[in-house]
């Protein structure tokens, strides 16, 4: 398998970025959903939020790598029998996924730095708090983060459903190309 994309298929880097981010982001959604329900005396109350922030920063960095890679690589040609409007919907869906990720990253940063402290990432480096302390900003960002996360996970479900429809109904290789089977 080639490293970069070709006119017919996705390369190893595109496939790896897609699946690593997919698994991590779906996991982040469920961890985030779980951790907001934790009680103060739960042992995970003090560890999960920090881990969620740290992984979020790493995923933000990976998102920058992915967007750079996607824009620098050729996009494989559209294949199959699916109606033309589905390709437009697919492009809009991908843009919405990226947009929601950006909203989640920004709102997550605003939540995490609302007390005026930076985000320590696994003791490797710290992302500084650029704005002064603001409880109201943190609460508002929390609401945005929750809404964006919910919309994101719903859109991920639509994205997965569309891949299966391409595979089983239109019988094209849209899904298998992202599995590395071109």
């Amino acid at each position: 398998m080639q490293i970069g994309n070709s006119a017919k298929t996705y390369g190893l880097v595109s496939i790896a970025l897609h699946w690593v981010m997919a698994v991590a982001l779906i996991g982040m959604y469920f961890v985030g959903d779980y951790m907001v329900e934790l009680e103060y005396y739960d042992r995970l109350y003090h560890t999960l939020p920090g881990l969620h922030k740290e992984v979020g920063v790493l995923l933000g960095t990976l998102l920058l790598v992915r967007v750079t890679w996607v824009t620098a690589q050729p996009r494989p040609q559209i294949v199959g029998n699916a109606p033309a409007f589905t390709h437009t919907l697919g492009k809009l869906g991908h843009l919405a996924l990226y947009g929601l990720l950006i909203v989640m990253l920004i709102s997550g940063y605003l939540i995490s730095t609302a007390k005026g402290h930076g985000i320590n990432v696994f003791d490797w480096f710290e992302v500084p708090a650029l704005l002064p302390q603001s409880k109201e900003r943190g609460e508002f960002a929390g609401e945005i983060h929750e809404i964006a996360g919910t919309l994101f996970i719903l859109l991920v479900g639509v994205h997965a459903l569309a891949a299966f429809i391409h595979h089983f109904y239109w019988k094209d290789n849209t899904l298998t190309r992202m599995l590395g089977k071109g």
Side-chain angles (χ1 to χ4, degrees):
M1 172 178 281
Q2 77 273 4
I3 297 293
N5 297 351
S6 71
K8 292 186 178 191
T9 190
Y10 292 99
L12 184 61
V13 173
S14 292
I15 293 169
L17 285 169
H18 177 273
W19 290 110
V20 166
M21 289 188 72
V23 169
L25 289 165
I26 292 167
M28 286 285 281
Y29 172 80
F30 287 106
V31 166
D33 192 50
Y34 176 75
M35 74 182 189
V36 297
E37 300 299 324
L38 293 174
E39 300 291 330
Y40 180 81
Y41 293 105
D42 191 305
R43 66 181 179 83
L44 294 176
Y45 179 89
H46 299 285
T47 56
L48 276 185
L51 184 62
H52 189 81
K53 293 174 197 178
E54 293 166 331
V55 172
V57 170
L58 296 181
L59 283 170
T61 304
L62 204 54
L63 179 62
L64 290 174
V65 170
R66 184 171 180 182
V67 168
T68 302
W69 183 260
V70 165
T71 56
Q73 288 293 301
R75 188 158 182 88
Q77 297 167 346
I78 295 172
V79 295
N81 305 323
F85 77 90
T86 63
H87 304 300
T88 302
L89 290 176
K91 288 179 184 178
L92 292 172
H94 282 103
L95 286 173
L97 285 168
Y98 284 120
L100 287 167
L101 284 174
I102 291 167
V103 169
M104 285 190 295
L105 286 168
I106 293 169
S107 61
Y109 170 80
L110 293 174
I111 297 164
S112 300
T113 59
K115 292 182 179 177
H117 306 290
I119 305 167
N120 182 336
V121 182
F122 298 109
D123 290 328
W124 299 338
F125 62 94
E126 183 172 306
V127 178
L130 299 175
L131 299 171
Q133 181 176 344
S134 171
K135 181 179 179 182
E136 295 79 21
R137 182 184 69 238
E139 290 173 358
F140 180 69
E143 292 174 19
I144 298 297
H145 196 72
E146 183 179 358
I147 292 167
T150 301
L151 291 173
F152 178 80
I153 204 71
L154 291 172
L155 195 52
V156 164
V158 170
H159 178 73
L161 179 62
F164 287 122
I165 289 170
H166 273 278
H167 187 75
F168 293 109
Y169 182 74
W170 287 308
K171 300 188 184 323
D172 63 31
N173 68 349
T174 299
L175 176 61
T176 55
R177 288 192 306 183
M178 195 45 78
L179 293 171
K181 301 180 191 280

